[in-house]
Structure formats: structure tokens, C-alpha cells
């Protein structure tokens, strides 16, 4: 079968923050949605139950994106449950801060494993299952465009890697009409930014932090049938921060 606006979706990192908003939005739009988590089983179960209660179809899968085998198994479980896969959203990501002189090798490896290799693994293992005409969306960061503050170099590097991986992936999957795009949020109100609010808000031209739903809206559009001519793009959505 070919991709449609009700083809199943899998969201890596869907239990909290932007990922949860994306899961809710895709489910509300009529897609069966599977999503992964690593440390929040209760939140993941509650989100799946909430969607089921509202008449949608959702289930949560424990899978650390740093573990490629877990990523592969999450994709297999989704295809087994839903019968196909039309949309892959790779949102799982971590932020470890620190200037390079103090940044440890272990933290470098952990962030690269989740933010870079985890994205590659998700696309790699999903590829054979994705419907022709399907959608891949990654969540990068506006720090790929402008690092903006000290202590963010390694995080920004991982997100810049994602942006370029997406450009190449768009070319790799173009023959199958699968589009691949990267959303680059600026500061969004989630657990990740809870401690940074005071520092961030005065720096934002729009004078406020972004909402997870605003990222979910863009994801919904990018993953819809109507977005079929956009591929390989990184879309920055950051309240004007990088303007
Ligand atoms: P949160 O920390 O609020 O949520 C992260 C989500 O990803 C959770 O569902 C978490 O699962 C999951 N996750 C984290 N690590 C892993 C892992 N190793 N394997 C599987 N799932 C994992 O983050 P945000 O919603 O703020 O961020 C989402 C994405 O957006 C990230 O890629 C981040 O880098 C990016 N981003 C965020 C910005 C912001 O301002 N918030 C700005 C720009 C980009 P669990 O609940 O189980 O821990």
C-alpha cells in the first residue's frame, strides 16, 4: 500500500515534552501512533491510555536510542502491531552542557550515541519498513545554525550532524518518494529548558518561549500528504532567535 494521512507513525522519544505533543497531535489527526521512552514508563503508559480513551490507537515501547538493537526492536514491534509504517519522527535527544575544556569523553559519547547514532539507527532500521511516499522528520535544534552561548558546542555539533544526515537521507530515499526533513526548534517550554527560562526569555525577539504544540503543528504538516514536495530541509522555528 501507499502512504496516506492515516498511515501509522512511530515517534522516538514520545513520553514527555515535544515528543508527547507530537504523539498527541498525530493520534488526534487519525494516525495509529507508537512511541518510545527510556526513563518515564508511567508517563508513557498514561499518554498511551489517554489516546486510547479518546478513541485513538497508541502504544509505548521502552527503547534507549543509544542502543541500536533496541531501536531496531521498537521498529519491528510497531510494524508487527500496526501492519505498516508511514511516518517516522526522531525526537529523542539529550542536552548535556559544558565548555569543551570541562566536557568529558563519556558525556561526548553518550550525547553522540543518542543524538546522532540514534537518529541514524532509527532511519536505517525503519527504511525497509517505511511505505513508499512516507515521511521522516527529525528534531534537530537551532543551535545547528547558531551556537549562541558557551557550553553548547557538543550539543550543537550533534544537531548540525542531524541536519546534514537529513539532506543526504532525502537524496537516498527520493526514489521512493519518502521525504526527510529536520525541524530545528529554538527554546521550547519542556523539562529540558526548565532551568534555563530566566536566561533564555530575554534573548528571544518574540519575548516568549515556544510551546511544544507549536512544534507538533509543524510536524503534523510535514508528515502530511500535502508536504510531499519538501525534502532535505531544516526548518528553524525559534521565535526569531537566529534571525
Ligand atoms: P525532554 O527532555 O522534555 O523529553 C525528551 C524525550 O525524549 C522524552 O520523551 C525522553 O524519554 C526521550 N528520550 C531522551 N533520551 C532518550 C533515549 N536515550 N532513548 C529514548 N528516548 C529518549 O526534551 P524536549 O521535548 O525538550 O526535546 C525533544 C527534542 O528536541 C530533543 O531532541 C532536543 O534536543 C530537541 N530540542 C529541544 C529544545 C528545547 O528548547 N526544549 C530546543 C531545540 C531542540 P523519557 O521520558 O523516558 O526520558
Amino acid at each position: 500500500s501507499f502512504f496516506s494521512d492515516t498511515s501509522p507513525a512511530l515517534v522516538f522519544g514520545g513520553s514527555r515534552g515535544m515528543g508527547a505533543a507530537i504523539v498527541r497531535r498525530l493520534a488526534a489527526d487519525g494516525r495509529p501512533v507508537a512511541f518510545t521512552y527510556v526513563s518515564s514508563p508511567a508517563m508513557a503508559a498514561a499518554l498511551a491510555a489517554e489516546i486510547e480513551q479518546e478513541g485513538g490507537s497508541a502504544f509505548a515501547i521502552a527503547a534507549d536510542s543509544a542502543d541500536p538493537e533496541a531501536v531496531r526492536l521498537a521498529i519491528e514491534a510497531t510494524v508487527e502491531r500496526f501492519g505498516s509504517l508511514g511516518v517516522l519522527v526522531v525526537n529523542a535527544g539529550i542536552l548535556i552542557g559544558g565548555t569543551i575544556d570541562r566536557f568529558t569523553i563519556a558525556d561526548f559519547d553518550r550525547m553522540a550515541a543518542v543524538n546522532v547514532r540514534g537518529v541514524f539507527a532509527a532511519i536505517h532500521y525503519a527504511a525497509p519498513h517505511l511505505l513508499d511516499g512516507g515521511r521522516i522528520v527529525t528534531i534537530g535544534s537551532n543551535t545547528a545554525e547558531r551556537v549562541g552561548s558557551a557550553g553548547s558546542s557538543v550539543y550543537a555539533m550533534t544537531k548540525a550532524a542531524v541536519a546534514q544526515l537529513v539532506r543526504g537521507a532525502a537524496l537516498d530515499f527520493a526514489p521512493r518518494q519518502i521525504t526527510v526533513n529536520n525541524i530545528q526548534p529554538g527554546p521550547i517550554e519542556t523539562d529540558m529548558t526548565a532551568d534555563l527560562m530566566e536566561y533564555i526569555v530575554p534573548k528571544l525577539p518574540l519575548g516568549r518561549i515556544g510551546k511544544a504544540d507549536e512544534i507538533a503543528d509543524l510536524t503534523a504538516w510535514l508528515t502530511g500528504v500535502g508536504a510531499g514536495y519538501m525534502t532535505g530541509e531544516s526548518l528553524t522555528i525559534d521565535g526569531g532567535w537566529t534571525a
Side-chain angles (χ1 to χ4, degrees):
S1 62
F2 201 79
F3 174 72
S4 82
D5 280 335
T6 54
S7 300
L10 168 59
V11 178
F12 278 93
S15 43
R16 290 181 289 123
M18 273 180 251
I22 292 166
V23 167
R24 280 198 182 86
R25 179 60 194 269
L26 296 180
D29 287 352
R31 295 190 187 281
V33 184
F35 62 92
T36 69
Y37 64 93
V38 65
S39 64
S40 312
M43 292 184 89
L47 177 57
E50 174 196 316
I51 289 168
E52 294 271 337
Q53 213 153 38
E54 282 161 15
S57 182
F59 78 107
I61 305 163
D64 184 348
S65 281
D67 174 0
E69 184 59 9
V71 169
R72 187 182 72 76
L73 290 171
I75 290 161
E76 304 276 325
T78 304
V79 174
E80 197 163 300
R81 177 79 72 102
F82 293 147
S84 68
L85 183 63
V87 174
L88 172 70
V89 177
V90 194
N91 168 76
I94 55 173
L95 167 64
I96 305 171
T99 55
I100 292 177
D101 51 332
R102 290 165 180 267
F103 203 88
T104 68
I105 301 294
D107 283 348
F108 182 103
D109 284 347
R110 175 73 190 167
M111 205 152 55
V114 177
N115 293 12
V116 181
R117 194 182 60 198
V119 179
F120 166 79
I123 297 173
H124 170 74
Y125 287 121
H129 299 288
L130 265 175
L131 293 170
D132 285 357
R135 300 278 181 268
I136 298 171
V137 172
T138 58
I139 307 297
S141 164
N142 72 340
T143 56
E145 303 295 324
R146 178 172 178 268
V147 178
S149 56
S152 305
S153 59
V154 181
Y155 178 76
M157 180 201 73
T158 66
K159 296 302 192 176
V162 169
Q164 201 70 339
L165 181 70
V166 159
R167 300 177 90 175
L171 302 179
D172 290 350
F173 298 117
R176 293 173 55 197
Q177 300 293 313
I178 294 169
T179 68
V180 193
N181 292 290
N182 176 41
I183 295 176
Q184 299 189 142
I188 305 295
E189 191 169 3
T190 68
D191 296 340
M192 192 178 274
T193 49
D195 300 335
L196 308 171
M197 292 281 270
E198 212 173 309
Y199 159 80
I200 289 171
V201 174
K203 285 192 157 199
L204 288 163
L206 286 182
R208 67 169 178 89
I209 193 159
K211 299 183 182 76
D213 282 342
E214 292 174 310
I215 302 304
D217 280 352
L218 182 54
T219 307
W221 181 75
L222 274 176
T223 55
V225 166
Y229 200 55
M230 177 173 282
T231 195
E233 273 305 306
S234 283
L235 302 156
T236 299
I237 169 168
D238 70 350
W241 172 287
T242 48

